[in-house]
Amino acid sequence: DKFSVIAISTTGSTINLITQTLIFCLITSGFEFLIYLPYLTLIGIVSGFAVGFAVYLIIKRLPKAIIISEEKF
């Protein structure tokens, strides 16, 4: 495992919020909304960390047989 669940969740949440804000600005031609981008980025980092940490705790408590299946698809 090269990346933790927390890092993936935080990165995904932040990129999602930035992308949604940029698309909203492009569709509405209202680029003044970009002023909210730093705040939304901070919210994305905090919420992504919270979700990633919750998933980390859940994975830590689950039996390994449920998480890692040896079946090949």
Side-chain angles (χ1 to χ4, degrees):
D1 296 330
K2 294 187 179 196
F3 298 104
S4 71
V5 175
I6 298 172
I8 292 170
S9 177
T10 303
T11 303
S13 176
T14 304
I15 290 173
N16 181 39
L17 277 169
I18 290 170
T19 305
Q20 285 183 355
T21 303
L22 292 175
I23 297 298
F24 174 77
C25 289
L26 287 173
I27 291 173
T28 63
S29 298
F31 292 99
E32 64 273 2
F33 292 106
L34 289 176
I35 197 158
Y36 295 114
L37 202 54
Y39 305 109
L40 291 173
T41 303
L42 182 62
I43 290 169
I45 291 169
V46 171
S47 65
F49 180 84
V51 170
F53 188 69
V55 170
Y56 168 77
L57 291 176
I58 290 169
I59 289 174
K60 190 175 172 182
R61 294 189 185 268
L62 286 176
K64 296 283 184 201
I66 294 174
I67 299 171
I68 302 171
S69 176
E70 294 184 18
E71 292 182 32
K72 303 279 182 182
F73 292 103

